[in-house]
Amino acid sequence: MDSEEFQLLKWISSQIGYALQKIEREDYLKTAKEELQKYKKSLRNLFSENLAIMIVLDPETRRFLNANDAALNFYGWDKETLLSKRIEDVNTLPVASKIHVD
């Protein structure tokens, strides 16, 4: 085997190595994506099927972003109506004032 053949063989083996690494990464990414989808589904189910009232609020606008069925039943609105509201529209209790202790 001369130097030129050796260099060609070396290049081919590096390309094969690169292709195998790429296949391994793609398999890993596929598995990771599948696991992420399972995890997301599990979290969605935990949120939506929970018997506890669960809501998601935008901290800046204080608008409802999401609510589970328990929250909808508690507040007595459908999801579209509840999501059109801000927390102030729902929580009608006055904000507690600070107590000064001397």
Side-chain angles (χ1 to χ4, degrees), residues 42-55 67-74:
S42 176
L43 286 177
R44 276 193 298 273
N45 289 341
L46 178 66
F47 179 83
S48 64
E49 296 174 8
N50 204 306
L51 297 178
I53 295 168
M54 300 180 84
I55 57 174
N68 68 352
D69 287 342
L72 298 176
N73 291 332
F74 179 79

Side-chain angles (χ1 to χ4, degrees), residues 30-43:
K30 180 181 177 189
T31 302
K33 285 179 183 179
E34 289 169 355
E35 290 298 316
L36 180 60
Q37 291 304 318
K38 286 181 198 175
Y39 182 68
K40 286 169 127 180
K41 183 178 180 181
S42 176
L43 286 177

